[in-house]
Amino acid sequence: MAYDELKKILDGSDNIVFLGGAGVSTESGIPDFRSESGLYSAKKKYGYSPETLLSHSLFMRKPELFYKYYKENLICTEAQPNNAHKALAKLEQMGKLKAIATQNIDNLHQMAGSKNVFELHGSVYRNNCMKCGKYYSLKDLLKIEGEVPKCSCGGIIKPDVVLYEEGLNEYVWSSAIKYISRADVLIVGGTSLVVYPAASLVNYYRGNKLVLINKSTTAYDRNADLVIHDAIGEVLKEAVLDRC
């Protein structure tokens, strides 16, 4: 019944925006941040919490430790887009989906074909020298030898990922707000909506069809017009891909 309602909502709108979190990419084999099998399970190995390991201050003080954790846990070059990514790209191609605001840093939406993607927390695929600003792709970064990747000028290379203690990119943030506030339909998927400020984007929505797709309940479930507790890849496969 819920799946039929979702199909009806998708059919009835050409102004849909998607807000997604880690659960969108777990079906591609990328661990989420808070589950027992996620990144928190690595705490004992490194001696610090993930929040500390991924903080700006630790990056500046102990870049070798930051990069050890970062390379072993956040870079998943073998990951491929799953049905959720593919379905969202399809909706965009159909002219229905206007934008994606994602908390993920894995580039999988773009790999699936989505064009208008706002990466709230940046991307592992972009890197820049902190000294001269030179750009390095992820492929270039991984080729550099040593515990801490350094530019040809000697400066440390920093991933274009928003670390703890850092602010979000103003353009990305304001663009996400603009699209969400103007959307007829907002689909929130694969996120427990507990990570701020990203979770607060839901509050900018002014439309009349809020859809939440997540395996577990969220604090926003009671405010939604449709709630589906299931894997988002399976939901969007049936609602979009199996119909095209």
Side-chain angles (χ1 to χ4, degrees), residues 8-22:
K8 193 180 299 182
I9 290 172
L10 295 177
D11 289 343
S13 178
D14 290 329
N15 186 11
I16 304 168
V17 172
F18 180 80
L19 171 61

Side-chain angles (χ1 to χ4, degrees), residues 35-49:
S35 70
E36 290 182 10
S37 60
L39 300 185
Y40 265 81
S41 62
K43 184 175 180 178
K44 290 182 179 178
K45 179 178 178 181
Y46 302 94
Y48 293 91
S49 69

Side-chain angles (χ1 to χ4, degrees), residues 47-115:
Y48 293 91
S49 69
E51 289 95 341
T52 300
L53 290 162
L54 296 175
S55 67
H56 176 82
S57 55
L58 185 127
F59 175 82
M60 299 302 293
R61 289 188 294 108
K62 298 183 177 182
E64 67 289 338
L65 178 59
F66 167 86
Y67 264 110
K68 178 176 174 58
Y69 180 79
Y70 178 77
K71 288 182 177 180
E72 291 179 357
N73 293 277
L74 271 72
I75 296 178
C76 305
T77 55
E78 302 301 316
Q80 294 297 315
N82 60 53
N83 287 326
H85 301 105
K86 294 172 184 176
L88 292 167
K90 184 65 178 180
L91 286 173
E92 184 183 69
Q93 293 165 15
M94 294 167 65
K96 288 185 166 294
L97 185 73
K98 301 307 179 187
I100 292 172
T102 178
Q103 298 174 62
N104 297 334
I105 57 176
D106 49 43
N107 204 49
L108 292 180
H109 284 296
Q110 292 91 330
M111 289 170 64
S114 293
K115 305 296 182 186

Side-chain angles (χ1 to χ4, degrees), residues 113-132:
S114 293
K115 305 296 182 186
N116 202 27
V117 181
F118 298 102
E119 297 168 309
L120 299 169
H121 296 156
S123 172
V124 299
Y125 282 81
R126 299 186 300 269
N127 307 271
N128 293 91
C129 173
M130 296 179 70
K131 186 176 179 181
C132 72

Side-chain angles (χ1 to χ4, degrees), residues 21-42 50 54 69 73-74 76 104 106 190-192 195 214-216:
V24 177
S25 293
T26 53
E27 291 171 63
S28 293
I30 295 179
D32 67 15
F33 201 70
R34 287 176 171 75
S35 70
E36 290 182 10
S37 60
L39 300 185
Y40 265 81
S41 62
L54 296 175
Y69 180 79
N73 293 277
L74 271 72
C76 305
N104 297 334
D106 49 43
T191 174
S192 53
V195 177
N214 198 49
K215 285 184 176 180
S216 59

